[in-house]
Structure formats: structure tokens, C-alpha cells
Amino acid sequence: MSEGELDRIRAAYGERDAAAETPYRWSNPGYVTYMQLLERALLRALDDAATPLAGARVLDVGCGSGYFLHRLSEYGAGECHGIDLLASRIEAARERYPGQKWHVGSATELPYADGAFDLVTQFTCLTSILDDEVRLAVAREMRRVAAGGWVCSFDMRGLRRPGSGDKRAADTPTIPIDEAELRRLFGDPALLRRAALAFELAQLSGRHAFLATAFGALPPLRSHLLGLWRIPR
């Protein structure tokens, strides 16, 4: 396994987390709009695919400081676990959400038994992995610990977004995760759809709910793919 790729991810996201200014904060109306649209899309997808969440044992891979896992718990999930490469993020998660279980480690070697979870999620984790084989190793581990349950993936699909040519220096390298790549990683999905308003558009429309809703209703302006896979035992 490429330790170099894992070290690169730690360094890149540690630098991003240390940045003095970031648009990914709750005081930014654009970020609030983006997250609200994403959560609505997630709940709708879980319902449409008949993916049971109530009481489910859940693992979030690349959990960061724990927001999505916390929200899944609030939506009715049972025992919730999160794993991330960065110790600083797990420390923040433990402080914010002490009711969940947090682990520092690599998703290439998940410290859980086969079929340990009913639902395994990742939110823009795979797009941060530039090495194809490391990305595949993570997907294999997700499938292994989700055997008999479900995998949920939410990641960037490669849409060229308005203003994307004007990147901030602190932006971290990413790779688009399109439908072909998702099929390579997880197989044929039970559900796969475009979701989430492109972040730059959410920034523009954040203070105008009607405009954000109108933009979000147009699939070409949705910047991510949201998929669910039923994993056989």
C-alpha cells in the first residue's frame, strides 16, 4: 500500500485545516445552503433506495470532525463509528460528539470485522485520494465491513463549476469520481444520482433561499454523485 499517498493526504488536509480563513464554516450562508441541500438529497436517497437507517450500525470513512456521522445519529442511526487519518480531526470529533465512537487510522485497513456495519458512508473522502490503487483499497475495505448491508458514497463528479478556474492557493488536490469510477470501486449501484448544488453557486445564492432552491432543482448544476450499493454477504 502506498504510504506516500497516505502521508500526502495527511499533510494536505492538515494544512487546509490550519488555514486561517475557509468558506466551510457555519457563519457562511453559502455553506449553510450547500449543506442543507446535501442533507435533503441524502435523506431522500436513503428513503428511495429503502436503505434502513433506524437503529443501523454505521461507519463513516474519512469522517473529519464528525458532522455527518452526528447527523446520521440524529436521523435515527444506532451505534455510530468514525475513522479518519488526521488525529486532530478525531480529537475535535470526540470533543464535539462524545456519544459516538472515533478512531484514528487508515481506511485501507479498517479495524473492524467483516460485515460489522449495516451502513458504511463516505462524504468526499475518495476524491481526495489521487492514487487509483489506494482508492480501490479503501473501497474494498468499505465493502468488506458492509457485507450484508449498504455502502453510501457522496463525491465530486468532475463538473467544471463557475469560478473553478480561480482556485485558492490553499485548495487541496482532488480527482473527480465519475460513474465509471464508482462502478469500478463498488459495482452496480442500487441508486445513483446527481446531488448538491455546486459550491460556488451555493456561495452566490446563499442569502436567497428561492434562488438556491431553483439552482438546486437543475441536475446539470449539481456537482456531486450520490450513490447507494447493496453489498452481498
Side-chain angles (χ1 to χ4, degrees):
M1 194 55 57
S2 174
E3 284 298 324
E5 174 65 355
L6 300 180
D7 289 341
R8 183 199 64 78
I9 294 169
R10 288 188 188 95
Y13 284 85
E15 181 180 352
R16 190 179 88 164
D17 290 354
E21 293 187 14
T22 173
Y24 309 112
R25 62 187 191 278
W26 291 110
S27 59
N28 174 15
Y31 180 69
V32 173
T33 293
Y34 173 84
M35 294 296 282
Q36 288 176 339
L37 290 172
L38 165 54
E39 289 189 36
R40 289 173 193 155
L42 174 62
L43 290 175
R44 189 177 303 117
L46 290 170
D47 186 60
D48 289 348
T51 304
L53 186 58
R57 185 175 163 90
V58 177
L59 170 67
D60 188 25
V61 170
C63 64
S65 56
Y67 176 77
F68 282 112
L69 192 65
H70 168 67
R71 292 296 282 162
L72 288 170
S73 176
E74 290 191 325
Y75 296 148
E79 185 174 304
C80 292
H81 295 247
I83 186 168
D84 200 277
L85 270 176
L86 274 69
S88 58
R89 290 184 168 188
I90 292 299
E91 182 179 349
R94 286 174 177 150
E95 183 176 337
R96 293 175 185 176
Y97 311 117
Q100 319 307 336
K101 300 180 185 296
W102 308 103
H103 185 85
V104 179
S106 171
T108 59
E109 296 178 294
L110 292 173
Y112 308 105
D114 296 0
F117 297 96
D118 303 304
L119 175 65
V120 177
T121 62
Q122 75 86 24
F123 297 91
T124 66
C125 171
L126 294 176
T127 197
S128 69
I129 304 172
L130 305 186
D131 185 301
D132 290 347
E133 292 308 308
V134 174
R135 197 180 319 113
L136 182 59
V138 170
R140 284 173 176 159
E141 281 291 273
M142 291 176 66
R143 296 198 313 265
R144 179 182 67 79
V145 301
W150 293 81
V151 160
C152 176
S153 170
F154 172 79
D155 231 320
M156 292 183 277
R157 66 181 181 89
L159 172 68
R160 184 170 178 80
R161 304 181 299 274
S164 61
D166 181 24
K167 288 290 186 181
R168 298 177 300 276
D171 278 355
T172 49
T174 57
I175 189 167
I177 306 295
D178 60 15
E179 182 173 344
E181 177 64 0
L182 286 170
R183 290 181 185 276
R184 181 181 81 96
L185 298 174
F186 298 117
D188 293 331
L191 177 149
L192 185 63
R193 60 179 55 152
R194 294 178 182 180
L197 184 62
F199 191 76
E200 290 79 2
L201 290 175
Q203 288 278 73
L204 291 172
S205 60
R207 296 183 183 277
H208 307 283
F210 174 79
L211 189 59
T213 301
F215 282 159
L218 301 173
L221 298 183
R222 298 174 190 165
S223 55
H224 292 60
L225 285 172
L226 175 59
L228 286 157
W229 287 259
R230 188 77 166 94
I231 308 299
R233 288 196 179 276

